[in-house]
Amino acid sequence: MKEKFKKLTPYFIIVIAFVLISVAYFSPVLEGKKIFQNDIKHFIGMAKEVNDFRAENGEEPYWTNAAFSGMPTYNLSTKYPNNFVKSLDDVLRFLPRPADYLFLYLLSFFILLTVLKVEWKLAVLGALAFGFSTYYIIILGVGHNAKAHAIAYMPMVLAGILLTLNKNYLWGFVLTAIAMSLEISAGHPQMTYYLLFAVLILGIVYIIDAYKEKQLPDFFKSIAILVVAVVLAVGVNAPSLLATKEYVNYSTRGKSELTIKPDGTEKEKVKGLSKDYITEYSYGITETFNLFIPRFTGGGNYEDVGLDSNIYQFLKDKADPRQAKEFAQFAPLYWGEQPIVEAPAYIGGILIFLFVLAIFLVKGKLKNWLVGVVIFSILLSWGKNFNVLTNLFIDFVPMYNKFRAVSSIQVLAEMAIPLMAILGLKEWFSDKNTVEVKLNALKKALYIVGGFALIFTLFGTSLFAFEGIRDESYAQLLPGLLDAIIADRKAVFFADSLRTLILVVVSAGVLWLFLKEKIKLNVTILVLGVLILFDLITVDKRYVNADDFKNAREIDKPFIASEIDKEILKDTSYFRVANFAVDPMNDGSTSYFHNSIGGYHAAKLGRYQELFNFQISKNNMEVLNMLNTKYFIFEDGNQRINAQQNPENNGNAWFVNSIKVVENADEEITGLDSLKTKTEAIIDKRFVSDNFVTEFTKDSTATISLINYKDNHLTYNSTTSTNQFAVFSEMYYKDGWNAYIDGVLKPYYRVNYVLRGMEIPAGKHTIEFKFEPTVIKEGNTIALVSYAFLLLIPIGWFFIDKKKKNVR
């Protein structure tokens, strides 16, 4: 027992070290501060109604009316039942955010390297190299928490898979099942999908090797075990996965029924997202070098170039000094091809050098896999700049057309390069290769990597134009300003190229000194570690630092009610607000206080997005009225924010006299152009049966009103002397909302493209809409069964193995 504890002691110390490093890097968390993340700010706004409902009622609503006039919360802020995986994740992420994600980066990559039998010192070095990769730090700065979460578990998943493929079946099964459960639970399908590509490449490499070595039975045994592990991982996440699967068909990621664009022209027929949307964020081919040289294409959209910059020196005599200083702090240095870039996805000049060195030292399956992953991910990250491959994947690879921002597939390279680099160092420090082989590999790596750095340092400023896609506006703003901007772009290009060159040469020199036995192993690893951390952290700090942290109260409550908000909040009735002082479809602030017609979400209801594009964006008041828009917030000509009450809003529900039946979605959406929504409704013919009534006698005494409101339960009273047809200002979502009249389940229809409508019989009645999604119950049953198998299989396996050993 003492011997086992002694062996485990270094690992306990390493975990504690990772905790300290994570907290030290994000040291403001020790003062109780929290990092400001713009995406999370809007997420808090979007989720406030759900969180308030949960606190008040002790249950999940699974629906919010605070955003986009109503939508499911499956991908917003939902706590699914019996989510034990989430409980495990909470244990692992015990540190304050974002230190928790950095800790996960370090721990997960360390586990992967340990599984690959890398000595702990190198494994720690690799974990640090992976964890401080600039892209991984940057996404924490902007609030892509789910993405960071999913990336953090990727190495752990690969560790389980490799353990299994290397015939450690029991622990490989356990680690794969747990890690994959955590990966899926992180809730970023795009990152998990990209991980699948890395796994497929790994499988191809291993099956080829198994065929050559005549070990196909062992390979397929491993695959069978892994399939069971992944199935169980999917099973324990069934509630969220099934809910997401259901919702995605109705979201902007699903297939649209429209064949026309808002301008009336024919729409491109696509199964998922449009190619333009998918490839909007495509990495430039030249831009790929910023994986090696941080500000190769200028860095981020806005860089602080200081008071010694060409920009400041140019502006200080031509503009207000404060404006000149502010422009220099947010200088538009990025000259790549993407619309917005917060920072370069810098992997590290030293790590690129070590990666190339490893190519000459590492042999076998792992090398083939990792080099393949790097090439694959970089080629696909080019998107529209490499259309032959990109279009092939969009058109033929399942689900590839469901995700945008193809540049983010580089996360695979950002994982594979440090992994390969550490495996290269493992070979460098081993006795397998002769000194001559190592020296030859070092020379080749230095010539290749150092050569590129030298060329860019000496000639780079004359090789490129340094012109960006938005430069015309700066040229028009002030003559000579663009020249100053380009001069600063060249300056940072030269500085960072020289920086990379020095780091590569120094790193090569450290390895050469070790080879010549001038310095010892531990010293070499320590020096390399210091160099790598210096390389990465100094770049990371340019973009995420203590300035990004604020008092916790400001982060937890990011929005303060304005006088306008306070005035609107005096109205306690149920209505919606249209805030045109902001971009309504990219705004979570309004949802923090009101039921908004807008919101902030990557996958809103597809039909609602189309309604906005075709009607709301064109200020169709009839459509805004049918959404029960009672207040408008707008900016006047003097840049002041004002509010105006809309006396013409249709209210929560109303009766119409006639219903227009149309042939398809095109006619339905365009029919709203002239629809009188207070007296007319429009419906797709698919909802119309033989006995469907389209004309109703006007009843001047008829009333219908909302008497009770909850997120997931709306109650109305109606009084009519004849049968009437009611339209409700609520989003139609058939897989969850049920309608009841006097407690009896009744059918309802989709009308006016997005709303609910139903026939109301004569007399006094109580009408209820209840959100009762069956997908949650079904998913919960699957999850509980999967948890049982996930627990019982390893226990049974362990005892069977133990019994076999005893028999022997």
Side-chain angles (χ1 to χ4, degrees):
M1 187 68 180
K2 287 184 179 179
E3 194 63 31
K4 283 187 177 179
F5 183 77
K6 189 176 180 180
K7 287 182 180 179
L8 291 174
T9 298
Y11 296 96
F12 286 124
I13 295 172
I14 288 165
V15 171
I16 293 170
F18 287 162
V19 170
L20 296 175
I21 290 167
S22 301
V23 173
Y25 184 79
F26 293 113
S27 57
V29 300
L30 297 173
E31 304 170 35
K33 292 184 177 182
K34 293 186 176 181
I35 191 168
F36 172 77
Q37 300 171 302
N38 188 61
D39 278 18
I40 300 305
K41 171 184 173 181
H42 288 285
F43 169 82
I44 291 171
M46 290 280 288
K48 186 175 185 297
E49 185 187 51
V50 178
N51 293 331
D52 289 348
F53 182 96
R54 185 187 299 124
E56 184 178 341
N57 299 282
E59 62 174 290
E60 288 296 314
Y62 299 115
W63 185 272
T64 179
N65 290 299
F68 302 117
S69 299
M71 65 179 289
T73 62
Y74 301 146
N75 299 115
L76 180 59
S77 177
T78 295
K79 294 184 177 180
Y80 292 100
N82 300 311
N83 196 347
F84 304 118
V85 171
K86 180 66 170 63
S87 300
L88 174 59
D89 177 62
D90 289 340
V91 171
L92 293 172
R93 290 194 302 116
F94 63 95
L95 292 175
R97 188 165 300 167
D100 57 343
Y101 290 122
L102 178 54
F103 173 73
L104 270 189
Y105 290 158
L106 302 176
L107 178 65
S108 185
F109 206 75
F110 180 80
I111 290 172
L112 173 57
L113 287 169
T114 302
V115 164
L116 292 173
K117 299 180 180 179
V118 174
E119 197 257 347
W120 69 265
K121 295 169 190 175
L122 280 180
V124 169
L125 177 60
L128 294 171
F130 173 78
F132 285 103
S133 184
T134 301
Y135 182 78
Y136 297 157
I137 299 298
I138 295 309
I139 57 178
L140 296 177
V142 298
H144 295 170
N145 289 355
K147 180 184 285 186
H149 202 171
I151 289 169
Y153 284 123
M154 283 182 177
M156 201 182 295
V157 173
L158 292 172
I161 292 171
L162 286 165
L163 206 58
T164 309
L165 288 171
N166 292 331
K167 302 178 185 178
N168 193 332
Y169 298 125
L170 174 56
W171 291 111
F173 169 82
V174 171
L175 183 55
T176 303
I178 293 174
M180 195 67 202
S181 298
L182 291 164
E183 169 69 29
I184 296 170
S185 178
H188 201 290
Q190 185 172 7
M191 292 300 104
T192 305
Y193 180 74
Y194 289 160
L195 173 62
L196 175 61
F197 285 124
V199 173
L200 288 174
I201 295 170
L202 178 65
I204 292 169
V205 170
Y206 262 74
I207 195 172
I208 292 172
D209 184 76
Y211 175 76
K212 290 179 179 177
E213 299 296 326
K214 298 182 179 179
Q215 293 182 346
L216 284 176
D218 289 335
F219 174 80
F220 287 116
K221 180 180 178 180
S222 298
I223 295 300
I225 291 169
L226 290 171
V227 167
V228 174
V230 172
V231 167
L232 292 179
V234 170
V236 299
N237 285 283
S240 62
L241 289 176
L242 289 178
T244 300
K245 182 179 181 297
E246 175 194 278
Y247 175 68
V248 74
N249 294 323
Y250 303 108
S251 76
T252 50
R253 306 300 172 99
K255 184 179 180 181
S256 172
E257 296 180 36
L258 294 177
T259 64
I260 56 172
K261 297 178 182 179
D263 61 5
T265 58
E266 187 177 353
K267 183 181 178 183
E268 178 188 2
K269 293 181 180 179
V270 292
K271 294 179 181 179
L273 301 172
S274 70
K275 288 183 180 179
D276 288 342
Y277 189 66
I278 292 169
T279 61
E280 182 181 10
Y281 288 88
S282 296
Y283 233 68
I285 294 175
T286 302
E287 188 176 358
T288 308
F289 280 106
N290 71 16
L291 303 177
F292 174 54
I293 296 171
R295 288 184 292 187
F296 191 92
T297 50
N301 277 88
Y302 302 105
E303 295 273 338
D304 186 351
V305 292
L307 303 185
D308 294 329
S309 62
N310 293 282
I311 290 172
Y312 180 76
Q313 295 301 319
F314 173 79
L315 287 175
K316 69 177 183 178
D317 299 325
K318 295 180 173 58
D320 183 283
R322 287 175 299 178
Q323 291 179 323
K325 184 177 179 181
E326 184 177 346
F327 195 89
Q329 286 177 324
F330 299 95
L333 291 198
Y334 176 70
W335 52 277
E337 299 179 26
Q338 299 184 82
I340 299 173
V341 172
E342 290 289 336
Y346 181 59
I347 293 175
I350 298 174
L351 287 170
I352 298 290
F353 165 68
L354 293 176
F355 171 80
V356 175
L357 175 68
I359 290 175
F360 298 110
L361 292 176
V362 178
K363 308 297 180 185
K365 296 173 288 189
L366 291 178
K367 170 187 172 178
N368 296 335
W369 169 50
L370 293 172
V371 172
V373 166
V374 170
I375 294 172
F376 174 84
S377 62
I378 289 176
L379 292 179
L380 275 177
S381 75
W382 291 344
K384 61 187 175 185
N385 300 310
F386 193 40
N387 266 330
V388 174
L389 182 63
T390 300
N391 289 340
L392 180 70
F393 271 71
I394 292 173
D395 293 335
F396 298 106
V397 176
M399 292 185 65
Y400 194 80
N401 60 5
K402 300 292 183 183
F403 305 110
R404 67 180 302 221
V406 293
S407 59
S408 60
I409 199 172
Q410 280 187 358
V411 296
L412 298 182
E414 287 151 6
M415 178 172 55
I417 286 173
L419 180 55
M420 182 72 170
I422 296 302
L423 293 177
L425 286 178
K426 179 185 176 184
E427 293 298 316
W428 180 265
F429 295 127
S430 76
D431 296 326
K432 292 180 182 178
N433 295 309
T434 64
V435 172
E436 185 181 353
V437 168
K438 293 177 184 178
L439 186 59
N440 190 40
L442 182 64
K443 288 179 180 178
K444 289 178 180 177
L446 182 61
Y447 293 158
I448 295 170
V449 180
F452 272 110
L454 181 62
I455 290 169
F456 291 137
T457 301
L458 295 177
F459 310 110
T461 54
S462 59
L463 292 175
F464 308 102
F466 294 89
E467 295 175 352
I469 57 178
R470 294 189 182 88
D471 283 355
E472 187 176 342
S473 62
Y474 300 115
Q476 295 174 351
L477 183 65
L478 188 66
L481 176 59
L482 181 57
D483 292 333
I485 292 172
I486 290 176
D488 280 329
R489 288 171 179 170
K490 290 182 177 181
V492 298
F493 178 95
F494 173 78
D496 278 9
S497 296
L498 179 61
R499 176 185 186 276
T500 293
L501 175 62
I502 292 170
L503 287 170
V504 167
V505 171
V506 171
S507 300
V510 170
L511 292 176
W512 182 82
L513 288 172
F514 170 80
L515 200 62
K516 296 299 180 180
E517 299 182 349
K518 303 293 184 181
I519 55 176
K520 294 183 178 180
L521 172 65
N522 290 342
V523 174
T524 306
I525 294 175
L526 180 62
V527 173
L528 284 175
V530 170
L531 288 170
I532 289 170
L533 287 177
F534 169 81
D535 182 14
L536 294 174
I537 291 177
T538 52
V539 175
D540 294 342
K541 288 290 186 180
R542 293 176 184 173
Y543 306 101
V544 180
N545 50 57
D547 295 339
D548 297 303
F549 286 81
K550 300 183 183 299
N551 292 327
R553 188 166 174 270
E554 294 180 52
I555 302 300
D556 295 336
K557 296 182 178 180
F559 304 108
I560 299 173
S562 65
E563 292 303 316
I564 289 172
D565 291 320
K566 292 175 183 177
E567 194 63 32
I568 294 174
L569 288 169
K570 290 178 182 178
D571 188 337
T572 57
S573 62
Y574 174 61
F575 56 86
R576 293 196 178 91
V577 173
N579 188 355
F580 292 118
V582 295
D583 177 357
M585 298 301 274
N586 286 287
D587 161 59
S589 64
T590 310
S591 299
Y592 191 79
F593 300 106
H594 315 290
N595 292 318
S596 174
I597 68 160
Y600 190 89
H601 200 276
K604 55 193 77 73
L605 285 168
R607 277 185 164 255
Y608 193 78
Q609 179 68 64
E610 291 165 349
L611 182 78
F612 184 88
N613 295 341
F614 277 79
Q615 302 296 343
I616 299 175
S617 64
K618 298 175 182 177
N619 296 317
N620 185 328
M621 283 301 301
E622 287 287 349
V623 169
L624 288 164
N625 288 339
M626 81 179 192
L627 294 176
N628 194 17
T629 309
K630 193 174 182 179
Y631 293 93
F632 293 101
I633 300 175
F634 58 91
E635 185 179 288
D636 65 19
N638 297 316
Q639 296 185 328
R640 292 178 300 190
I641 306 299
N642 292 306
Q644 181 177 326
Q645 186 171 344
N646 175 26
E648 300 298 323
N649 67 306
N650 292 10
N652 306 119
W654 60 97
F655 294 119
V656 296
N657 302 331
S658 63
I659 304 171
K660 297 180 179 180
V661 181
V662 294
E663 291 293 317
N664 51 43
D666 291 348
E667 292 186 15
E668 191 178 3
I669 193 76
T670 55
L672 292 171
D673 293 347
S674 57
L675 191 75
K676 306 300 180 184
T677 59
K678 289 182 177 64
T679 58
E680 302 172 325
I682 193 167
I683 191 169
D684 192 300
K685 70 175 184 179
R686 79 183 75 173
F687 292 103
V688 178
S689 58
D690 293 337
N691 59 350
F692 187 84
V693 180
T694 59
E695 298 291 334
F696 292 85
T697 304
K698 184 176 181 179
D699 183 354
S700 58
T701 64
T703 61
I704 184 168
S705 58
L706 180 70
I707 61 168
N708 190 40
Y709 164 79
K710 287 174 67 176
D711 290 22
N712 57 2
H713 188 178
L714 301 127
T715 306
Y716 306 80
N717 277 348
S718 72
T719 302
T720 65
S721 57
T722 60
N723 289 0
Q724 296 291 316
F725 192 90
V727 177
F728 301 86
S729 62
E730 306 300 327
M731 290 298 101
Y732 177 88
Y733 190 82
K734 70 173 184 176
D735 290 328
W737 281 106
N738 291 322
Y740 300 85
I741 297 180
D742 300 329
V744 179
L745 185 66
K746 294 291 183 180
Y748 67 99
Y749 312 96
R750 189 187 69 222
V751 298
N752 295 4
Y753 205 71
V754 295
L755 299 184
R756 306 171 204 165
M758 68 185 302
E759 188 172 344
I760 309 297
K764 293 184 177 181
H765 299 285
T766 299
I767 302 128
E768 295 176 280
F769 278 98
K770 299 179 183 180
F771 194 59
E772 302 168 319
T774 58
V775 69
I776 305 298
K777 294 178 182 178
E778 293 168 358
N780 189 40
T781 301
I782 295 171
L784 290 174
V785 172
S786 299
Y787 277 122
F789 278 108
L790 188 55
L791 185 64
L792 292 174
I793 288 175
I795 293 174
W797 196 334
F798 175 78
F799 282 109
I800 290 170
D801 277 356
K802 190 174 182 181
K803 188 175 180 180
K804 286 180 179 178
K805 289 177 183 177
N806 290 336
V807 170
R808 291 172 191 169

